[in-house]
C-alpha cells in the first residue's frame, strides 16, 4: 500500500510539473478554495444550534444567569442588548430546570402583585399603601406590554388618600409612557384602549385623568375632549370624509390642469346627533265605519212618593239632583256609547348620526398652468363632484395664484441626481465585473491554449521519437539481414560483434514496445525540463 501511495504521489508530482505557470496558479488557488469551503462547511455542520434560554432579563438576572452558566461550563450567546441569553438547543430545558432550582432568574424586577408576598403583620400602613401602588403599576405595565406593537410600558399612579370628613376628594390620576417596536406606531384605538384599561383598573379614576405619551415625548392622549373615544372617532370620520371629497375633486382637476397645477381643500361640518321623530296623521273620511256600539237603558216603576220627602237622586257633595221621575215614582234613563274608526297614520323616522350640515371648498389654480382658468366653470365642476348645495349654506371659492415650486424643483433635481448616481454606480459595477470576468476568461483561454500547444508539441515529439525508433529498428533489421547474407557467403564462423550502443537501442525499442505510455510521459517530462 505504501508503494501505491508513493507511486500516486509521484504521478501527481510529475503531472503538476508538466503544468504551465498559469495552470499551476489556477490549480493552487482552486485547491485552496476547495479546502476553505470544506473547512467552513465542516465548521457550520459541527457548530451547535443555539436557542433562547431567557429573554427580556434585567441586568441583575442576566448577570446571575451568565455566572451560573460559566460555573456549569455551558456555552452561551448574549443578544438583544444583553437581555436575551441563548444556549445549545439540546441543553435549553435542562439548564432552565437547573437555574430554576437555584432561584435564577429571581424576577425581582417583575413587580406586580409579587411585591405583596413579603408583607407581614409588622408592615406599616404607609409601606402597605406604597407596595399596593407599585404592584398596581407593575401589573398595568405588564398588561399594556401585551398589546401588539408595545415593547415597554411604564405606569405611574397618583392615588390621594381618602379623607373621611371631606365633601370632595382629590381625583386620582395616572400617566403611561409606552415605547413601541421599531417602525411601529400606536393607532388611536390602541391609545384609547390603554386609557380605558388604566381607568377601569383603578377605583374612581376618570379616563380624562389618564395621560399617555410615547418614548419620543409626544403626547398621545392628555384627557382632553379630543382624546376621548367618541370624539376621536368622530374627528377621524370627519377627516376621512373630507379627504374622500378632496381626492375626488383633485383627481378631476389633475386631469384638466395636470398634476401639481391645482390644489383642493374641503371642510365638512357633520351632525353626529341622533334624532327620532314620530308623526301621527289623521285622515278625513266621510264614510266612517262604526267599530263598536253600546246601548244602556234603565226603567223603574213604583208607587207615589210622600209629599214631605224630596224627590230625585243624591248628587255630588251630598246634593240631591232631580231625575226624570213622575209623580207616581217611576224612573226611565237610557244611554248610547258608539266608537267610530279613525283614519290614522303613525310614522317614526330615525336620523342616523353623521349627516352633512354644510360643505365648504377652496380651489387654487396655478397661474402658470397651460390651461386657461374659468372660475365659474371650475366652481360648477367641483360643486357637482363633491355635492355642493348653496341652499344648505355650502360655499365654494376658486382663485388663481402663482405656485411656489422651488421645493418641488429642488426635490426633483435631487431625485434626478440620485437616480443618475445609482445608474452610474450600477454601470461602473457592471463594467468592473465585466472586465474582471473577461480577464479571468482570457487567462483561462490563454492557459488552455498554451496547454493545448504543449500537449500537441509533446505528442508530436513523442510520435517523432517513436517513428525514429521504429525506423532505426527496421534499418537494424535490414542491416542484420544483409550481415547474415554476407556471413553466409563468406562462410565465416565468426560471431557477430555488437556494440554497447546497439544493445541500448534494442533495450529502448523493447521498452517502447512494452510500456509505450510510460515512455511517452518520460519524454514529455524531458521536453518540459528542457524548456
Amino acid at each position: 500500500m505504501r508503494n501505491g501511495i508513493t507511486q500516486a504521489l509521484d504521478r501527481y508530482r510529475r503531472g503538476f510539473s508538466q503544468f504551465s505557470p498559469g495552470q499551476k496558479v489556477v490549480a493552487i488557488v482552486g485547491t485552496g478554495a476547495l479546502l476553505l469551503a470544506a473547512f467552513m462547511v465542516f465548521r457550520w455542520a459541527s457548530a451547535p444550534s443555539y436557542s433562547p434560554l431567557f429573554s427580556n432579563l434585567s441586568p441583575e438576572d442576566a448577570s446571575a444567569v451568565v455566572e451560573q452558566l460559566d460555573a456549569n461550563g455551558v456555552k452561551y450567546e448574549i443578544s438583544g442588548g444583553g437581555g436575551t441569553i441563548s444556549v445549545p438547543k439540546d441543553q435549553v430545558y435542562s439548564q432552565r430546570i437547573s437555574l430554576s432550582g437555584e432561584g435564577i432568574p429571581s424576577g425581582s424586577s417583575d413587580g406586580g402583585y409579587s411585591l405583596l408576598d413579603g408583607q407581614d403583620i409588622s408592615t406599616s400602613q404607609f409601606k402597605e399603601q406604597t407596595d399596593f401602588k407599585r404592584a398596581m403599576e407593575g401589573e398595568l405595565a405588564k398588561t399594556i406590554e401585551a398589546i401588539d406593537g408595545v415593547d415597554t410600558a411604564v405606569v405611574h399612579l397618583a392615588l390621594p388618600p381618602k379623607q373621611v370628613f371631606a365633601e370632595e376628594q382629590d381625583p386620582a390620576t395616572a400617566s403611561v409612557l409606552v415605547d413601541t417596536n421599531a417602525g411601529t406606531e400606536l393607532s388611536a384605538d390602541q391609545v384609547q384602549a390603554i386609557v380605558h384599561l388604566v381607568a377601569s383598573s383603578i377605583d374612581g379614576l376618570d379616563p380624562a385623568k389618564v395621560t399617555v405619551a410615547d418614548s419620543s415625548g409626544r403626547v398621545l392622549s392628555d384627557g382632553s375632549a379630543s382624546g376621548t373615544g367618541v370624539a376621536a372617532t368622530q374627528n377621524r370620520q370627519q377627516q376621512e370624509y373630507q379627504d374622500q371629497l378632496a381626492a375626488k375633486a383633485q383627481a378631476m382637476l389633475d386631469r384638466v390642469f395636470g398634476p401639481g397645477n391645482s390644489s383642493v381643500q374641503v371642510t365638512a361640518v357633520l351632525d353626529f346627533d341622533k334624532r327620532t321623530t314620530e308623526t301621527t296623521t289623521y285622515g278625513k273620511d266621510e264614510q266612517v265605519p262604526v267599530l263598536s256600539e253600546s246601548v244602556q237603558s234603565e226603567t223603574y216603576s213604583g208607587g207615589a212618593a210622600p209629599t214631605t220627602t224630596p224627590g230625585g237622586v243624591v248628587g255630588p257633595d251630598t246634593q240631591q239632583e232631580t231625575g226624570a221621575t213622575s209623580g207616581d215614582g217611576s224612573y226611565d234613563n237610557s244611554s248610547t256609547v258608539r266608537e267610530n274608526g279613525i283614519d290614522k297614520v303613525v310614522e317614526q323616522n330615525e336620523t342616523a348620526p353623521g349627516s352633512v350640515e354644510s360643505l365648504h371648498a377652496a380651489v387654487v389654480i396655478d397661474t402658470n398652468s397651460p390651461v386657461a382658468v374659468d372660475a365659474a366653470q371650475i366652481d360648477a365642476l367641483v360643486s357637482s363632484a363633491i355635492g355642493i348645495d348653496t341652499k344648505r349654506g355650502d360655499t365654494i371659492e376658486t382663485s388663481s395664484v402663482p405656485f411656489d415650486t422651488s421645493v418641488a424643483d429642488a426635490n426633483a433635481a435631487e431625485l434626478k441626481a440620485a437616480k443618475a448616481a445609482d445608474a452610474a454606480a450600477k454601470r461602473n459595477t457592471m463594467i468592473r465585473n465585466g472586465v474582471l470576468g473577461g480577464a479571468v476568461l482570457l487567462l483561462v483561454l490563454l492557459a488552455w491554449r498554451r496547454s493545448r500547444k504543449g500537449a500537441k508539441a509533446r505528442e508530436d515529439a513523442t510520435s517523432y521519437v517513436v517513428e525514429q525508433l521504429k525506423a532505426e529498428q527496421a534499418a537494424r533489421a535490414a542491416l542484420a539481414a544483409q550481415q547474415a547474407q554476407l556471413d553466409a557467403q563468406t562462410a565465416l564462423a565468426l560471431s557477430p560483434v555488437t556494440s554497447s550502443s546497439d544493445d541500448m537501442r534494442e533495450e529502448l525499442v523493447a521498452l517502447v514496445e512494452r510500456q509505450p505510455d510510460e515512455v511517452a510521459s518520460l519524454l514529455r517530462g524531458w521536453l518540459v525540463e528542457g524548456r
Side-chain angles (χ1 to χ4, degrees):
M1 182 176 180
R2 182 177 181 182
N3 294 332
I5 296 175
T6 304
Q7 291 178 1
L9 293 176
D10 293 339
R11 186 164 58 253
Y12 293 150
R13 182 178 57 81
R14 289 195 302 268
F16 182 77
S17 63
Q18 296 173 8
F19 288 167
S20 63
Q23 291 176 331
K24 291 180 179 180
V25 172
V26 173
I28 293 174
V29 173
T31 303
L34 290 176
L35 294 176
L36 180 60
F39 173 74
M40 296 300 294
V41 170
F42 174 77
R43 184 176 180 182
W44 171 77
S46 60
S49 178
Y50 284 85
S51 296
L53 180 64
F54 294 108
S55 301
N56 298 326
L57 292 175
S58 63
E60 295 80 4
D61 291 338
S63 176
V65 170
V66 168
E67 184 178 356
Q68 189 63 31
L69 291 177
D70 288 335
N72 296 338
V74 179
K75 296 182 179 179
Y76 59 87
E77 291 182 352
I78 301 176
S79 59
T84 302
I85 299 178
S86 303
V87 297
K89 192 172 183 179
D90 56 346
Q91 300 183 10
V92 172
Y93 299 106
S94 60
Q95 291 302 317
R96 283 181 182 174
I97 295 173
S98 176
L99 293 175
S100 298
E102 299 292 336
I104 300 174
S106 62
S108 58
S109 62
D110 292 340
Y113 292 131
S114 60
L115 294 173
L116 305 178
D117 296 337
Q119 293 185 355
D120 51 18
I121 194 173
S122 61
T123 303
S124 62
Q125 183 179 5
F126 175 76
K127 187 177 186 305
E128 181 180 355
Q129 293 177 355
T130 303
D131 290 344
F132 174 76
K133 186 171 74 71
R134 291 177 56 196
M136 292 299 299
E137 292 174 349
E139 290 295 328
L140 288 173
K142 289 192 293 185
T143 305
I144 295 172
E145 289 174 358
I147 298 177
D148 187 18
V150 178
D151 184 24
T152 307
V154 180
V155 180
H156 294 289
L157 301 175
L159 305 177
K162 295 184 178 181
Q163 300 178 5
V164 179
F165 300 103
E167 295 182 357
E168 295 182 359
Q169 299 286 339
D170 294 334
T173 59
S175 61
V176 182
L177 179 66
V178 293
D179 183 16
T180 58
N181 297 327
T184 304
E185 185 175 355
L186 294 179
S187 62
D189 294 336
Q190 289 177 318
V191 174
Q192 293 306 313
I194 294 174
V195 171
H196 291 285
L197 180 66
V198 175
S200 301
S201 302
I202 305 299
D203 184 19
L205 179 58
D206 187 3
K209 300 297 182 179
V210 180
T211 301
V212 181
D214 59 6
S215 58
S216 62
R218 185 164 56 97
V219 178
L220 304 179
S221 176
D222 57 357
S224 60
S226 61
T228 59
V230 176
T233 303
Q234 294 177 358
N235 292 336
R236 183 168 64 252
Q237 292 178 355
Q238 183 175 359
Q239 186 64 39
E240 291 176 355
Y241 183 69
Q242 293 176 169
D243 295 342
Q244 180 182 3
L245 296 180
K248 292 172 60 177
Q250 188 65 56
M252 180 185 64
L253 294 177
D254 289 343
R255 295 290 299 272
V256 176
F257 298 100
N261 293 322
S262 62
S263 178
V264 181
Q265 292 293 331
V266 178
T267 301
V269 180
L270 304 182
D271 183 9
F272 291 97
D273 295 335
K274 183 178 179 180
R275 298 182 180 89
T276 302
T277 304
E278 183 176 351
T279 304
T280 303
T281 305
Y282 296 93
K284 297 180 180 180
D285 191 356
E286 296 180 357
Q287 301 296 331
V288 179
V290 178
L291 299 181
S292 63
E293 184 176 0
S294 176
V295 179
Q296 185 178 3
S297 177
E298 295 181 0
T299 302
Y300 174 76
S301 299
T307 57
T308 58
T309 304
V313 297
V314 179
D317 297 332
T318 66
Q319 299 293 327
Q320 288 186 345
E321 294 181 359
T322 302
T325 60
S326 61
D328 56 358
S330 63
Y331 174 77
D332 186 6
N333 184 21
S334 63
S335 64
T336 302
V337 178
R338 183 181 294 110
E339 183 178 357
N340 297 326
I342 301 175
D343 186 10
K344 181 176 65 174
V345 178
V346 179
E347 295 180 354
Q348 289 185 352
N349 297 323
E350 183 174 346
T351 304
S355 60
V356 179
E357 288 188 353
S358 62
L359 290 177
H360 307 279
V363 182
V364 180
I365 308 297
D366 190 6
T367 54
N368 298 323
S369 173
V371 181
V373 179
D374 187 356
Q377 188 177 7
I378 297 300
D379 289 346
L381 291 175
V382 175
S383 298
S384 301
I386 64 177
I388 294 292
D389 187 2
T390 56
K391 296 180 180 180
R392 189 175 53 188
D394 299 350
T395 60
I396 182 172
E397 184 71 23
T398 300
S399 302
S400 178
V401 296
F403 282 12
D404 183 9
T405 60
S406 59
V407 177
D409 295 340
N411 294 335
E414 293 180 359
L415 182 60
K416 184 177 180 180
K419 290 183 177 179
D422 293 340
K426 292 181 179 179
R427 185 172 58 254
N428 295 334
T429 302
M430 294 177 62
I431 293 174
R432 183 181 69 247
N433 295 337
V435 171
L436 293 176
V440 172
L441 182 61
L442 180 62
L443 291 176
V444 172
L445 290 176
L446 291 175
W448 176 76
R449 184 177 179 183
R450 188 170 182 180
S451 63
R452 286 294 302 274
K453 288 183 178 180
K456 187 175 181 181
R458 290 192 294 272
E459 291 177 358
D460 294 342
T462 303
S463 300
Y464 175 76
V465 171
V466 172
E467 292 295 334
Q468 291 293 329
L469 291 176
K470 290 182 178 180
E472 187 177 355
Q473 185 179 6
R476 290 176 60 252
L479 182 61
Q482 292 177 2
Q483 187 66 30
Q485 291 178 1
L486 291 176
D487 292 341
Q489 292 176 2
T490 55
L492 295 177
L494 299 175
S495 59
V497 179
T498 60
S499 62
S500 60
S501 60
D502 295 336
D503 296 337
M504 186 176 295
R505 288 192 186 94
E506 293 178 356
E507 292 179 0
L508 288 174
V509 171
L511 181 61
V512 169
E513 291 178 353
R514 293 195 306 270
Q515 299 178 348
D517 295 336
E518 285 76 0
V519 173
S521 177
L522 181 61
L523 291 175
R524 284 195 295 268
W526 288 349
L527 292 174
V528 173
E529 292 178 357
R531 284 205 299 260

